[in-house]
Amino acid sequence: MNTAIDPRLIARLSTEFTSLGEQLNVLGRDLRTLHTQVLGEFPGTATGTTEKIDVQGAIPQDDPQSDPAAPIAMTGAVAEQGIPPWPAPAHGPVPPSSGWSRPSVPVPGMADGQGTSYPPVAGPVPSMPGRGQATVPPMGMPAGQKYPGSAPAWPGWTAPGGQQPMPSLPQQRRVVTGRPVRAPWWQREGVISRVLAVAGVAVTLIGVVMLLVLAAQAGFFGPVPRVVAGAVFSGALVAVGARVFAKAGGRVGGIALAATGIAGGYLDVVAMTTLYKWLDPVVGYVVAFGIAAGGVALAMRWRSQGLAVLVLVGAALLAPFVTTELALLGFLIVLQIAALPVHLVRDWPWLHVVRTLPAVLTTLVAVVGIALDSGTRAERFEVFAAVIVIAVAGLAGAVLSGRLRANDVTASLSFGAATVPMLAAPLLFSGRVAPTVVSGVFAAVLLLVAVVPWLPKLGAAARIPGHLVVVSALAGAVALFEACVGAVEVQTLPSALFVVAAGFLAVAGQQRSRFAAALGAAFGGLGALSFLFRADPGTLAAQPEAEAHLGISTALSAVFLLAVLVVAAWTARRLGLLDRESDATVLSVFAGIGGLYAVTALTVSLGVATGSRDGFLAGHGIATVVWMVAATAALLFGLRRLARRSQQAKVALVAGLILTGAALAKLFLFDLATLSGLLRAGAFLVVGVLLLVVGTRYARVFAEMDSRTRSA
């Protein structure tokens, strides 16, 4: 015996061969299972004919005549490559119970007796059509472990060790479905029931109004039976609605019944207060508030925005049929206030609309009616009080909702609607002082609300959303315009508008607010239109018209216009509107035209304001010189930047040349015929000197450019 052989090596090899035999046994059973499943997949396949499967060096042939201890023969591509046969395990043959067989796997489309050969077990096995892939571990690898390039899996195949691989999903064709056909609206779930419920609410409330009003006009029953019948009927509807709501499928019916009853009770109180005079207006408002608040509370409990909307809409739409007195404004305002606390809990946008619009529209009609009919002093103050309460309630609702839901735009829009009667309130008063004070106070309050977010501590506490700021600022600007129109005369209106425009533009530049800049531009545009109305080109050109309409007021307006242009240029730079050269050029051209016109109006107005006979002519002579100075500045600016080939330089040169031509045309066509001798001579001398300066500079610049071009 050779003592050099390590016994431990022999033992380890024996263990490995034993493990290999066990794996081959498992593999045999798996192949038998595979054979059975393939035959089950193709029921028409004959089972009596088998064909040897070429398993290149892995599967021994289950032949009764073969020697289990003989080397395993190589077939197929492995044999052709000259690989020597693999000897059988030294520990003994594989037991017949292992299930080795030679299954034949006929494939559809092949002739009888033909099968398919499979690649090595450790390599990829071709998959049958429509089948997935799995992994067969190589020899020596633990069962169930995957490795790169593993073989495909067949349905029902179980990996060594009992692990079942995930079967592959069958290939599915993509099904292109068309757009689903929507059912008509009357066939959708709940539509018809809601329509019928709303119709029932409307018809029933109309019946209540007929009971309260038409029966009184016709003399049917007495006041007490009518009122009591309306109250009992309304209470019964609410009770039945609560009972129906508690049952399955009774939500729509319960809401409709309860809304009808609550609105009917509200109308009953309106009739008792205004029609029958049984209740003092204050007491009637309190009782009506309790009924409306109870209806809103029930809507919150049932989590139904529809209930709250039906109550408010029904009461608001039918209340004018009960009474048209000014007390109607109070009852509509009660509805607006009663629904206000809901926005602290629920996000019900439609409630903003239905609680605000009825009071707004009715109050606006009252304002216009009193302004046209010259109502009594008491009526004017009642309507004015209603205007204030509506605006305050609208602001409170917008602020409360905005603090909790910053994206609630409906609340801000409702507040904007609530400010409309307030903007029309100056019509209630005669004269100039009272309307101006009213508009000024409203403007101050609204603009203060818009400025609150810019105050650090107050803005953090108020948490006013941006859309509410926009609405408040817009309404405040309208009120401020009303105050300007009422406070000044027509001659000084442009100055007032220019002052407001400069203020908005300054705030816009400081806060970098484009919206404030837009408001300033709007006031500036209105001021420019009113200024042109007073100092149009025809008035500036004709001496009689100029002496009749121009003076210190137009001169001040021209100064304020120049100030607005300067502030607007600073604001545009702060807002980044001049970052692009093209935008800066366009704005500069328009600002230059406006500035020249303002200077011309200023010189002519100052000349007329002196009262001198030649003041108008002197003003025009100075205006011509100013034109030529501006043309010279534009040409020098363009020549200085011409080397950079910038767009601004080209535009400045073109503008300077055009303005030079305009100054010369004015000098020869207007000044030469109208100016006196000394003024005419002075204008010609100044314009001529400026032309010489510009011409010399112009020639020098182009000569330098030509010399540089030749040297290059």
Side-chain angles (χ1 to χ4, degrees):
M1 181 176 180
N2 189 0
T3 57
I5 298 177
D6 188 359
R8 291 175 298 179
L9 176 60
I10 298 299
R12 187 164 57 251
L13 289 175
S14 176
T15 304
E16 291 178 356
F17 278 117
T18 302
S19 176
L20 180 60
E22 293 176 355
Q23 292 185 12
L24 289 176
N25 291 337
V26 173
L27 183 59
R29 289 194 298 270
D30 292 341
L31 286 176
R32 180 182 292 275
T33 303
L34 174 62
H35 178 228
T36 304
Q37 292 179 356
V38 170
L39 293 181
E41 182 73 16
F42 305 100
T45 305
T47 58
T49 304
T50 60
E51 185 70 20
K52 178 176 67 178
I53 301 177
D54 295 334
V55 187
Q56 301 170 1
I59 303 176
Q61 300 179 12
D62 189 13
D63 190 352
Q65 304 298 329
S66 61
D67 185 4
I72 300 175
M74 301 297 179
T75 61
V78 178
E80 293 177 0
Q81 295 177 4
I83 300 177
W86 176 34
H91 60 275
V94 179
S97 59
S98 61
W100 292 108
S101 63
R102 298 182 299 166
S104 175
V105 185
V107 179
M110 300 182 64
D112 278 345
Q114 292 184 345
T116 180
S117 61
Y118 296 86
V121 173
V125 178
S127 60
M128 291 292 292
R131 297 301 171 190
Q133 293 184 350
T135 302
V136 179
M139 300 179 185
M141 179 171 287
Q145 182 176 347
K146 295 185 178 181
Y147 67 100
S150 59
W154 292 45
W157 179 83
T158 304
Q163 182 177 357
Q164 180 73 22
M166 179 180 294
S168 62
L169 295 176
Q171 296 182 356
Q172 298 180 354
R173 293 184 178 181
R174 182 180 179 183
V175 180
V176 181
T177 58
R179 180 178 297 179
V181 180
R182 299 185 63 182
W185 65 270
W186 63 85
Q187 295 182 2
R188 298 175 192 170
E189 182 180 0
V191 172
I192 295 298
S193 60
R194 290 185 176 90
V195 171
L196 294 177
V198 172
V201 172
V203 172
T204 307
L205 289 178
I206 292 173
V208 173
V209 172
M210 290 180 178
L211 176 65
L212 296 174
V213 179
L214 298 182
Q217 295 176 356
F220 298 150
F221 310 107
V224 176
R226 289 193 294 267
V227 172
V228 172
V232 172
F233 183 66
S234 299
L237 287 176
V238 175
V240 174
R243 184 170 185 142
V244 171
F245 185 86
K247 296 183 178 180
R251 180 177 179 83
V252 175
I255 291 173
L257 291 171
T260 306
I262 296 170
Y266 195 90
L267 296 175
D268 204 31
V269 175
V270 173
M272 286 190 294
T273 305
T274 61
L275 190 62
Y276 303 124
K277 307 296 182 181
W278 292 353
L279 298 176
D280 184 80
V282 176
V283 178
Y285 294 153
V286 173
V287 176
F289 179 83
I291 294 175
V296 172
L298 183 61
M300 294 177 61
R301 180 180 179 183
W302 288 358
R303 298 180 181 271
S304 173
Q305 181 180 197
L307 175 57
V309 169
L310 287 175
V311 169
L312 268 62
V313 170
L317 290 182
L318 295 178
F321 293 95
V322 178
T323 181
T324 56
E325 300 177 2
L326 287 180
L328 175 63
L329 299 180
F331 284 105
L332 295 180
I333 293 174
V334 165
L335 291 176
Q336 183 187 15
I337 298 175
L340 186 61
V342 178
H343 304 295
L344 293 174
V345 183
R346 298 281 185 261
D347 183 14
W348 290 351
W350 285 107
L351 198 60
H352 285 293
V353 179
V354 299
R355 74 178 180 84
T356 304
L357 286 185
V360 167
L361 295 177
T362 307
T363 306
L364 188 60
V365 171
V367 169
V368 176
I370 291 179
L372 295 177
D373 296 339
S374 299
T376 63
R377 182 182 178 87
E379 292 176 346
R380 292 176 183 271
F381 279 101
E382 287 180 7
V383 176
F384 184 66
V387 166
I388 295 176
V389 174
I390 290 174
V392 171
L395 179 61
V399 171
L400 291 177
S401 181
R403 287 172 57 86
L404 301 177
R405 294 170 292 274
N407 58 346
D408 191 358
V409 182
T410 308
S412 299
L413 295 178
S414 299
F415 169 63
T419 60
V420 175
M422 183 179 62
L423 298 177
L427 298 175
L428 295 172
F429 305 96
S430 59
R432 299 177 59 89
V433 177
T436 302
V437 171
V438 170
S439 299
V441 172
F442 285 165
V445 173
L446 292 172
L447 293 178
L448 179 61
V449 174
V451 172
V452 164
W454 292 342
L455 306 176
K457 294 184 179 180
L458 190 58
R463 290 182 294 175
I464 297 178
H467 44 80
L468 180 57
V469 170
V470 171
V471 172
S472 182
L474 187 59
V478 175
L480 187 57
F481 176 76
E482 292 178 348
C484 291
V485 173
V488 299
E489 300 292 338
V490 178
Q491 295 84 355
T492 56
L493 179 60
S495 299
L497 295 177
F498 285 142
V499 170
V500 175
F504 274 111
L505 290 173
V507 172
Q510 179 66 28
Q511 299 293 331
R512 288 185 170 85
S513 171
R514 290 179 179 260
F515 181 72
L519 292 178
F523 274 93
L526 293 174
L529 291 177
S530 60
F531 179 70
L532 285 176
F533 179 77
R534 294 288 302 171
D536 58 279
T539 303
L540 294 177
Q543 186 171 358
E545 294 291 331
E547 292 177 349
H549 297 93
L550 301 182
I552 294 297
S553 61
T554 52
L556 289 175
S557 298
V559 172
F560 287 131
L561 175 56
L562 292 174
V564 168
L565 291 176
V566 173
V567 177
W570 173 75
T571 302
R573 186 173 296 277
R574 291 272 295 176
L575 295 178
L577 301 178
L578 303 181
D579 293 343
R580 292 193 303 179
E581 188 177 6
S582 59
D583 297 340
T585 302
V586 172
L587 293 177
S588 300
V589 169
F590 282 103
I593 295 174
L596 283 176
Y597 192 88
V599 169
T600 303
L602 174 62
T603 56
V604 175
S605 298
L606 289 176
V608 172
T610 59
S612 174
R613 185 176 182 180
D614 296 332
F616 173 78
L617 302 178
H620 269 287
I622 297 173
T624 303
V625 173
V626 172
W627 285 22
M628 193 60 211
V629 171
T632 303
L635 290 173
L636 293 178
F637 175 80
L639 291 174
R640 180 176 297 179
R641 299 184 61 117
L642 187 60
R644 303 179 185 178
R645 303 287 183 180
S646 65
Q647 184 181 4
Q648 289 183 351
K650 297 177 183 179
V651 174
L653 289 176
V654 173
L657 292 175
I658 293 175
L659 189 55
T660 301
L664 291 176
K666 184 177 183 297
L667 184 66
F668 283 98
L669 298 177
F670 183 83
D671 297 344
L672 185 62
T674 58
L675 297 181
S676 60
L678 184 59
L679 293 174
R680 185 188 307 123
F684 270 80
L685 286 174
V686 174
V687 172
V689 171
L690 293 176
L691 284 174
L692 290 175
V693 172
V694 173
T696 303
R697 180 62 179 167
Y698 206 93
R700 182 179 175 183
V701 169
F702 277 91
E704 292 176 354
M705 292 179 59
D706 187 54
S707 63
R708 285 196 300 267
T709 303
R710 290 180 179 179
S711 62

